[in-house]
Amino acid sequence: MGSGYGALTTLLTLKLDQNQMEFIQRWSAGSLWGDDWRYLGILVPWTAILCAYALYKSHVLNILNLGNETATGLGTAVKPEFIGLTVAAVALSSGSVSLGGNFFFVGMIAPHMARKIVGSNHKLLLPAAGLCGAIIVLLADTITRTISLGTDVPTGIVITVLSTPYFLYLLAKANN
């Protein structure tokens, strides 16, 4: 699947002009291009509705965290809840990526940081993970806008540089 998507992406990018190609490359590297109130206004209702849904279903996430058999035994319809929460997660990620580009390390690191701070109760974990992710992006964007690194470095690259040590720490800790 990955090779197929890669080939399709290459085929589509070959048909772009130079400006569009540069935009796609910066977006792929994680450039915060959608930092205008017009773009944020489009994303706010989408995010508010989906975040409210996820917070409303936080108790279901706590139950699903116990395992499918236990969740079923506690009366949770696992498959429909899982599908609904998965769709909400994908929709939230899609909205964020559409304006910010590919900040994949934020999604990998922020929940782990938040879990260390607030524990595993999703009622607290979801907002804390969002706040940790926002702080990471804000810190990286501040670095890219204030410190001259010799060139205009996309925010996503700085996020990766900042997040990699903690990610390696988590990997080392999991292997022990």
Side-chain angles (χ1 to χ4, degrees):
M1 291 297 289
S3 296
Y5 287 133
L8 181 63
T9 302
T10 302
L11 179 68
L12 292 173
T13 54
L14 290 174
K15 297 181 184 249
L16 300 175
D17 66 30
Q18 186 65 29
N19 289 337
Q20 292 171 326
M21 183 65 164
E22 288 175 11
F23 176 80
I24 292 293
Q25 287 175 333
R26 293 194 60 72
W27 177 83
S28 295
S31 177
L32 269 176
W33 71 272
D35 59 353
D36 189 288
W37 286 109
R38 294 181 309 210
Y39 304 118
L40 296 175
I42 294 169
L43 194 60
V44 165
W46 177 275
T47 304
I49 291 168
L50 292 169
C51 283
Y53 173 76
L55 282 174
Y56 175 72
K57 292 291 187 172
S58 62
H59 68 286
V60 174
L61 285 167
N62 288 335
I63 293 170
L64 291 174
N65 206 27
L66 299 173
N68 289 347
E69 291 180 11
T70 305
T72 301
L74 291 171
T76 301
V78 172
K79 189 172 183 176
E81 295 289 358
F82 181 79
I83 290 171
L85 289 165
T86 301
V87 168
V90 169
L92 282 167
S93 298
S94 300
S96 300
V97 169
S98 68
L99 293 185
N102 193 3
F103 294 156
F104 63 92
F105 260 99
V106 173
M108 290 178 15
I109 297 297
H112 291 289
M113 293 173 76
R115 191 176 306 265
K116 291 276 187 201
I117 297 168
V118 300
S120 61
N121 181 358
H122 285 84
K123 189 92 170 170
L124 300 173
L125 181 61
L126 292 174
L131 185 60
C132 285
I135 290 170
I136 292 168
V137 172
L138 184 62
L139 178 65
D141 191 50
T142 302
I143 289 170
T144 61
R145 292 178 192 247
T146 58
I147 299 174
S148 175
L149 300 172
T151 185
D152 188 21
V153 178
T155 305
I157 293 173
V158 175
I159 289 172
T160 303
V161 169
L162 291 175
S163 301
T164 300
Y166 187 67
F167 184 69
L168 293 174
Y169 162 75
L170 290 174
L171 283 175
K173 188 176 174 186
N175 288 335
N176 289 333

